[in-house]
Amino acid sequence: MNTGLKMKMLSRVQEALMEDLTYKDISVEGIIDEYQDARADLIAKEDGVICGIDIFCHTFKILDPDARFELYTKEGDRIVKGQKIARIYSKAQAMLFAERTALNFIQRMSGIATMTRKMVDILDDDRIGLADTRKTAPGLRIFDKYSVTIGGGVNHRYNLSDMVMLKDNHIGVAGSIKEAVKRSRRSISFTSKIEVEVEDLDMVREALESGCDIIMLDNMDIGTIKEAVSMIGDSALIEVSGNIGLDDISSYRGLGIDIISCGALTHSVKALDMSLKNMRIL
């Protein structure tokens, strides 16, 4: 994880902790002394791919800077049900206060990484990148997109400033694909790319004539995709999108496309089940 990315992510963790805070944790302060130390284990309750270990640990260190950890896995490792992932040592009050927030992050991030790895494995085509979309949880995009990369996927645009993506409404307002691309070229830097979403072969032809950089084949059947790929050749990067999931992603293997974008990687997340167990006062 690069330094800039890590700094942005860690700043969000403190905000998440504040959701549980007014001025004290009334569930623990009556039974646990603030000076008591404790240890506990992070245990996997199902198979998957681990992601978010640094975020998990940092959540505890915000409340107890002296917290320490024994890590038994590393980012991106495959884990199995019952496996011990880490052991945490910290002040007992801090541990219980941070527990839910830390688990929320690592479970969601690991769930995204796990689904991404499954889809990459089933696709089994090194030529095709499996990309996320902007269909992320509000405020969590930086975590969601990072998790996709840990699972073996790639990131599509992070925000609206990264590139031009012309969809049906943009094209409708401009009057045509050619006009939408022409107007966009006039308003952006030469360093920016333009992607056009198309729904049929006539739109593919117009997109090619417009000189766009990327053509997204949206909700096309396999036969039409093959025709579109033949038409496009090396004239543009080819992206395919439209409700692609575990059951059908293998159908796209070997088609000569460059990218499959999949919103389900982040908008339909199933958290990977983990828990903090075996807590002991030291």
Side-chain angles (χ1 to χ4, degrees):
M1 188 187 302
N2 69 60
T3 302
L5 177 66
K6 187 172 183 177
M7 288 177 66
K8 289 179 181 178
M9 294 171 78
L10 297 185
S11 68
R12 303 282 174 85
V13 175
Q14 188 155 348
E15 295 174 14
L17 281 169
M18 293 299 291
E19 292 177 344
D20 272 332
L21 179 66
T22 51
Y23 61 97
K24 65 178 181 178
D25 181 349
I26 62 174
S27 298
V28 302
E29 292 191 12
I31 59 173
I32 299 175
D33 186 274
E34 64 178 309
Y35 299 108
Q36 286 182 296
D37 295 314
R39 78 171 195 207
D41 297 324
L42 177 63
I43 305 293
K45 298 178 73 175
E46 59 182 321
D47 299 353
V49 173
I50 192 71
C51 179
I53 292 176
D54 283 353
I55 302 302
F56 177 83
C57 294
H58 181 73
T59 307
F60 293 96
K61 289 187 76 68
I62 288 175
L63 298 174
D64 179 5
D66 295 324
R68 57 189 179 88
F69 309 89
E70 295 173 2
L71 302 179
Y72 308 119
T73 60
K74 65 181 184 299
E75 199 85 326
D77 279 354
R78 296 181 189 267
I79 56 174
V80 297
K81 182 179 179 179
Q83 183 174 342
K84 186 190 296 185
I85 300 166
R87 173 163 285 181
I88 303 99
Y89 297 88
S90 78
K91 296 298 182 186
Q93 284 191 6
M95 183 180 294
L96 289 170
F97 182 82
E99 175 185 3
R100 183 68 269 155
T101 299
L103 286 171
N104 285 346
F105 276 114
I106 199 168
Q107 286 180 299
R108 179 181 176 86
M109 294 173 74
S110 296
I112 292 171
T114 297
M115 175 57 74
T116 304
R117 185 71 60 83
K118 284 180 181 178
M119 292 189 71
V120 168
D121 287 348
I122 293 171
L123 175 60
D124 192 26
D125 188 334
D126 292 338
R127 188 188 186 283
I128 303 173
L130 178 64
D132 50 35
T133 69
R134 286 170 44 247
K135 297 176 183 177
T136 53
L140 296 180
R141 181 171 296 171
I142 193 167
F143 299 95
D144 289 0
K145 283 183 167 287
Y146 166 76
S147 302
V148 167
T149 66
I150 295 301
V154 298
N155 293 149
H156 210 297
R157 59 176 179 166
Y158 183 81
N159 59 38
L160 298 174
S161 300
D162 282 346
M163 61 176 287
V164 174
M165 181 180 287
L166 301 174
K167 299 189 177 186
D168 53 356
N169 286 328
H170 303 95
I171 295 165
V173 169
S176 68
I177 291 175
K178 288 182 182 178
E179 183 63 22
V181 172
K182 183 173 73 173
R183 293 184 191 179
S184 297
R185 287 282 185 215
R186 288 201 300 256
S187 67
I188 62 174
S189 166
F190 70 91
T191 63
S192 298
K193 291 184 177 181
I194 298 178
E195 177 167 5
V196 175
E197 179 184 277
V198 300
E199 299 173 359
D200 57 43
L201 296 179
D202 287 338
M203 293 181 74
V204 172
R205 290 186 187 93
E206 189 179 358
L208 282 169
E209 292 170 2
S210 76
C212 65
D213 304 291
I214 306 167
I215 298 177
M216 179 200 289
L217 310 178
D218 187 43
N219 282 298
M220 289 186 183
D221 59 48
I222 297 298
T224 306
I225 289 173
K226 289 179 178 179
E227 289 186 64
V229 169
S230 179
M231 291 169 58
I232 297 167
D234 296 327
S235 298
L237 199 71
I238 303 171
E239 177 181 339
V240 172
S241 187
N243 300 309
I244 298 169
L246 290 170
D247 294 337
D248 62 350
I249 194 169
S250 62
S251 303
Y252 299 85
R253 183 188 307 133
L255 292 184
I257 61 179
D258 300 292
I259 297 291
I260 293 174
S261 54
C262 180
L265 294 177
T266 55
H267 75 56
S268 301
V269 181
K270 179 186 178 297
L272 192 70
D273 197 6
M274 293 178 238
S275 61
L276 206 62
K277 292 292 188 182
N278 309 321
M279 184 173 178
R280 300 286 185 272
I281 299 296
L282 300 177

